[in-house]
């Protein structure tokens, strides 16, 4: 009889323990996210005042019916568990290093419109993306358009709209600059500087960006020139790293081949280059991301191309999204709705985390 009772109590304890484990796991996930956010925004990771508040609250919830020192021990142990994780974070030497560290948490998913068009447009897109857990908002303000008669972007005003939409939601800002004047005027509004495909071989601009970011090591996303070999591409990256900023993200975005003479693909997706670029950059450890939007130019192909890139080992993606794709002012044929990212996000999370 007694024996039966002991067995049944043990079963209950096992159930409680398993609930405790899942609660502790939950807690750790939250403290890890908190560390990431504090790192991004440059705040101190440890806060002993806050620990005391948590302890006081917990004690009052036990209504003094337990030995305080035991509960303190349990909770201090929980705090130290999250600190153990925190202590894996390197000591960052610059603001850019902190951002780069946060960006490199895989999968790296960057999304947003080709161009910022209005306050309403960018906020609607940012809203949907941030609720899906996307942490980096892209948006062009200075657009490199093939025709001088096409929409050129909203310029500085566009960047301000992008920055405010992102910061309201704790997101990082990625935007392209085309010349050194834009680099200076927009520097404080951008967390990650994009150098586009057409500028990959603008060696003057690469030198300027390398010099300007030498101190704070602001991360740079360098896209592959659509007519460049991988070795030319990596030499361009060296123009940036020359002055000491190694915080580079490489982005394959499709190349021009004979295929464009009669195919509907805007470029030829350079998918297998992910494999080769990984080999060529061993030791540099630059994240390599893929752009399914520009490489295909067709919204129908984004989902599978994105998944193919991730399957080939890409560390992430940059995807153009628009709240009203059919009326986008630039690259409308390749724009998908922000909500369409969620399936790709699920795939990326399963594969990469
Ligand atoms: C862009 O990302 O908006 C863009 C113009 O890309 P790319 O330089 O790859 O054409
Ligand atoms: Mn575009």
């Amino acid at each position: 009889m007694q024996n039966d009772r002991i067995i049944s109590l043990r079963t209950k304890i096992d159930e409680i323990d398993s609930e405790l484990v899942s609660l502790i796991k939950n807690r750790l996930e939250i403290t890890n996210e908190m560390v990431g956010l504090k790192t991004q925004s440059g705040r101190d990771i440890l806060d002993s005042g806050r620990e005391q508040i948590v302890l006081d609250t917990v004690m009052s919830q036990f209504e003094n019916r337990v030995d305080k020192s035991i509960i303190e021990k349990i909770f201090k142990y929980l705090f130290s568990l999250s600190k153990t994780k925190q202590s894996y974070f390197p000591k960052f030497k610059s603001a850019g290093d902190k951002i780069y560290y946060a960006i490199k948490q895989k999968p790296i998913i960057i999304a947003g419109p080709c161009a910022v068009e209005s306050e309403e447009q960018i906020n609607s897109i940012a809203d949907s993306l941030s609720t899906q857990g996307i942490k980096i908002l892209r948006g062009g303000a200075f657009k490199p358009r093939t025709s001088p008669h096409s929409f050129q972007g909203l310029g500085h005003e566009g960047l301000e709209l992008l920055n405010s939409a992102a910061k309201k939601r704790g997101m990082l800002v990625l935007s392209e600059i085309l010349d050194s004047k834009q680099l200076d005027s927009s520097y404080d509004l951008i967390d990650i500087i994009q150098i586009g495909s057409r500028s990959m071989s603008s060696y003057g601009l690469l030198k300027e960006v390398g010099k300007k970011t030498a101190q704070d090591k602001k991360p740079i996303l360098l896209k592959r020139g659509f007519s460049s070999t991988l070795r030319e591409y990596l030499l361009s990256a060296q123009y940036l790293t020359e002055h000491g900023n190694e915080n580079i993200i490489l982005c394959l975005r499709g190349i021009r081949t004979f295929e464009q003479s009669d195919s509907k693909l805007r470029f030829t997706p350079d998918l297998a280059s992910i494999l080769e670029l990984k080999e060529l950059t061993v030791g540099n450890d630059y994240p390599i991301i893929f752009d399914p939007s520009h490489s295909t130019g067709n919204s129908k192909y984004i989902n599978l191309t994105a998944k193919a890139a991730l399957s080939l080992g890409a560390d992430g993606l940059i995807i153009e999204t628009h709240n009203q794709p059919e009326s986008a002012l630039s690259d409308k044929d390749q724009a998908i709705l922000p909500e369409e990212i969620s399936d790709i996000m699920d795939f990326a999370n399963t594969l990469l985390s």
Side-chain angles (χ1 to χ4, degrees):
M1 196 59 192
Q2 255 184 352
N3 215 11
D4 283 353
R5 180 70 185 145
I6 288 177
I7 291 175
S8 108
L9 288 176
R10 276 197 179 141
T11 311
K12 280 191 183 147
I13 287 179
D14 288 346
E15 283 168 7
I16 292 176
D17 283 349
S18 119
E19 263 182 60
L20 274 175
V21 168
S22 96
L23 287 172
I24 292 172
K25 273 198 203 155
N26 250 340
R27 193 180 196 285
L28 281 177
E29 268 168 30
I30 292 172
T31 50
N32 281 346
E33 186 184 347
M34 178 97 83
V35 170
L37 288 173
K38 284 184 176 176
T39 309
Q40 269 179 25
S41 60
R43 285 171 56 169
D44 278 344
I45 286 169
L46 303 181
D47 183 346
S48 42
R50 162 86 187 143
E51 284 183 6
Q52 194 52 54
I53 294 172
V54 174
L55 279 176
D56 292 345
T57 314
V58 166
M59 280 318 293
S60 76
Q61 283 165 344
F62 276 112
E63 298 161 336
N64 294 325
R65 290 167 58 206
V66 286
D67 183 339
K68 186 173 175 194
S69 67
I70 293 177
I71 298 301
E72 274 195 349
K73 260 190 206 141
I74 294 176
F75 272 81
K76 285 202 168 148
Y77 189 64
L78 278 179
F79 296 151
S80 76
L81 266 184
S82 4
K83 276 181 219 156
T84 315
K85 180 78 186 172
Q86 290 170 15
S87 69
Y88 288 136
F89 283 74
K91 283 207 162 34
F92 298 109
K93 294 200 192 83
S94 66
D97 285 350
K98 269 187 197 171
I99 297 175
Y100 193 56
Y101 186 85
I103 296 168
K104 283 173 74 179
Q105 307 309 305
K106 290 194 253 178
I108 304 165
I109 308 287
I110 306 170
C114 179
V116 179
E117 297 168 12
S118 69
E119 186 173 0
E120 193 201 347
Q121 174 240 23
I122 192 64
N123 277 290
S124 150
I125 296 169
D127 229 12
S128 166
L129 294 175
S130 77
T131 44
Q132 293 177 70
I134 287 162
K135 307 248 164 39
I136 310 174
L137 184 65
R138 65 148 288 149
F142 305 106
K143 293 304 304 172
R145 301 307 299 279
T146 307
S147 162
H149 310 297
S150 305
F151 175 59
Q152 301 288 306
L154 296 181
H156 196 78
E157 186 202 337
L159 266 186
E160 283 176 337
L161 295 175
L162 177 71
N163 182 283
S164 121
K167 294 301 147 189
K168 257 188 237 161
R169 297 166 177 90
M171 300 170 92
L172 292 168
V173 177
L174 176 135
S175 202
E176 174 167 5
I177 48 101
L178 301 173
D179 60 38
S180 51
K181 222 171 116 193
Q182 292 166 5
L183 174 68
D184 288 343
S185 67
S186 57
Y187 202 74
D188 295 337
L189 294 171
I190 301 180
D191 298 308
I192 307 156
I193 299 169
Q194 173 168 320
I195 304 205
S197 191
R198 289 151 193 86
S199 302
M200 187 213 86
S201 36
S202 293
Y203 301 115
L205 178 64
L206 296 178
K207 281 184 194 168
E208 292 292 329
V209 174
K211 264 190 241 158
K212 177 104 182 164
T213 58
Q215 275 289 302
D216 69 0
K217 313 249 189 297
K218 190 172 287 227
I220 305 160
L221 181 135
L222 178 65
K223 287 191 151 192
R224 179 187 189 176
F226 51 71
S227 304
S228 301
T229 67
L230 289 181
R231 280 165 187 80
E232 286 163 350
Y233 183 28
L234 290 176
L235 286 169
S236 285
Q238 283 183 29
Y239 270 92
L240 297 169
T241 57
E242 195 69 10
H243 299 277
N245 184 4
E246 292 278 338
N247 294 342
I248 307 293
I249 302 151
L250 296 172
C251 175
L252 296 169
R253 45 80 69 215
I255 50 172
R256 178 143 298 165
T257 72
F258 66 87
E259 203 169 30
Q260 277 70 53
S261 60
D262 66 358
S263 135
K264 289 204 194 75
L265 287 173
R266 186 174 178 191
F267 291 92
T268 296
D270 40 354
L271 282 161
S273 302
I274 296 167
L275 303 172
E276 199 177 357
L277 199 51
K278 285 242 159 184
E279 284 180 11
L280 290 171
T281 53
V282 167
N284 288 114
D285 202 28
Y286 302 135
I288 296 170
I289 68 167
F290 196 82
D291 178 342
S293 307
H294 292 90
S295 58
T296 65
N298 189 330
S299 58
K300 276 195 305 200
Y301 301 150
I302 307 295
N303 184 295
L304 284 177
T305 308
K307 290 175 181 171
L310 293 169
S311 307
L312 282 164
D315 300 304
L317 301 162
I318 179 166
I319 303 180
E320 288 191 347
T321 53
H322 199 286
N323 53 335
Q324 291 172 318
E326 63 294 342
S327 49
L329 295 181
S330 65
D331 288 351
K332 71 182 164 83
D333 294 341
Q334 66 198 39
I336 59 170
L337 287 166
E339 297 75 51
E340 290 179 69
I341 295 260
S342 88
D343 178 59
I344 299 171
M345 278 291 274
D346 288 347
F347 184 88
N349 280 322
T350 319
L351 201 70
L352 286 176
S353 42

